[in-house]
Amino acid sequence: MAKDRSSAGDPVRTLELLWRRSGQSGPSGQDPGQEVRRPGRRGPRQGLSVDAVVAAATALADEDGLAALTMRALAQRLGVTPMTLYTYVPGKAELLDLMLDDAYLHMERRPAAAGESWQLKVTRVADDNRDLLGRHPWLADLSVTRPPLGPGVIEKYEYELAAFDGIGLTDVEMDAALTHLLGFVHASALAAADAADHNSRQSDEEWWAVSAPLLERAMDPERYPLGGRVGSAVGAYNPRTVGAFGLQCVLDGLARLIETRTGRGA
């Protein structure tokens, strides 16, 4: 199944739309306070704007996921014809970039306290992104290997890099460390969402009630001593426990790298 990707549309048109209200001239020099429109097309419908289209698309994706986000479904939500939407955005690819950048632009960015350790700063970046994915689960289903260069993406990148600045990494390593961290958060969010989906259809208690008798017969303690012991200790999958352990591994790995690089403890 094809995966939705950022920056899959017209790059020039996307940049024009991304910087439409940035407070400075956009990439093609247009007035950022004006709606961008395609030459030769009728102007935007009165009472509708690119911002309104992005907000409605985001709400639709929040409720039903990216699979439900089509130009036709969005048009129905806004009470317009699908062709009307194309006077605001060229298509779904560009719309996804606008939604992504808008979500990044409005995510929480908590400033670091004076003297705060880099571990706490990095943890905050992880928590902020986990919260963002919780508010907009569809972000986890969007491939962002080539992010749209809008104000939200750039501001988010600047904020997150600050957590790694001055701790003993090169510029390239700072970017790699951030990418590694966000990849872990992304994977954790997908696993948590999958667990929540399973629990919405059948609770852990219901699953264990059905499965426990079979598992007790199958898990011969002499044949599977480790699996039986550890499985009994763990019980049901806990996304918070797994996420906290994984993040600690990320932090400890970075600390070891920095210690090796600089010859000092983290």
Side-chain angles (χ1 to χ4, degrees):
M1 180 182 295
K3 185 177 180 67
D4 287 305
R5 295 180 175 275
S6 62
S7 297
D10 180 344
V12 174
R13 179 65 172 150
T14 299
L15 284 173
E16 289 176 343
L17 288 166
L18 285 168
W19 290 92
R20 65 197 182 281
R21 300 185 188 281
S22 64
Q24 55 183 294
S25 293
S28 60
Q30 79 275 4
D31 180 350
Q34 294 178 350
E35 294 289 354
V36 184
R37 66 182 70 177
R38 282 187 179 277
R41 291 205 176 184
R42 292 180 298 173
R45 174 194 173 198
Q46 197 71 17
L48 196 59
S49 66
V50 173
D51 291 337
V53 171
V54 171
T58 299
L60 180 57
D62 287 346
E63 295 167 10
D64 301 319
L66 284 184
L69 177 61
T70 65
M71 298 300 279
R72 181 174 297 277
L74 179 58
Q76 291 177 345
R77 190 181 187 96
L78 289 167
V80 299
T81 65
M83 287 305 298
T84 299
L85 289 182
Y86 293 106
T87 65
Y88 298 91
V89 292
K92 183 177 178 180
E94 292 82 4
L95 177 60
L96 288 174
D97 284 344
L98 292 170
M99 293 165 59
L100 173 69
D101 194 74
D102 185 71
Y104 283 2
L105 191 63
H106 292 96
M107 74 177 289
E108 184 176 7
R109 297 181 176 87
R110 295 170 288 174
E116 194 171 45
S117 69
W118 67 263
Q119 288 95 332
L120 287 177
K121 295 177 183 177
V122 171
T123 298
R124 183 182 298 106
V125 169
D127 290 342
D128 289 347
N129 278 276
R130 190 177 293 110
D131 291 344
L132 178 67
L133 290 168
R135 290 193 300 275
H136 304 297
W138 52 270
L139 286 171
D141 295 324
L142 183 63
S143 175
V144 195
T145 53
R146 184 183 295 173
L149 299 180
V153 168
I154 293 175
E155 288 184 21
K156 179 177 184 288
Y157 188 54
E158 182 74 15
Y159 162 71
E160 292 170 343
L161 283 175
F164 300 90
D165 191 29
I167 66 174
L169 301 176
T170 67
D171 287 350
V172 172
E173 289 170 339
M174 285 170 57
D175 177 83
L178 174 58
T179 301
H180 178 57
L181 174 71
L182 297 184
F184 161 74
V185 173
H186 181 272
S188 297
L190 286 175
D194 184 61
D197 180 59
H198 279 295
N199 288 338
S200 68
R201 291 179 275 121
Q202 184 182 44
S203 69
D204 287 337
E205 291 76 13
E206 293 170 335
W207 187 87
W208 278 110
V210 174
S211 304
L214 176 61
L215 289 174
E216 288 176 0
R217 293 195 300 270
M219 292 295 290
D220 182 349
E222 294 186 1
R223 185 174 182 180
Y224 307 110
L226 290 177
R229 189 188 79 211
V230 174
S232 297
V234 172
Y237 173 75
N238 189 320
R240 289 185 178 273
T241 300
V242 174
F245 180 82
L247 178 59
Q248 190 60 55
C249 289
V250 173
L251 295 173
D252 288 349
L254 286 173
R256 177 59 179 163
L257 173 64
I258 294 167
E259 182 180 359
T260 302
R261 183 69 48 76
T262 63
R264 66 174 187 271

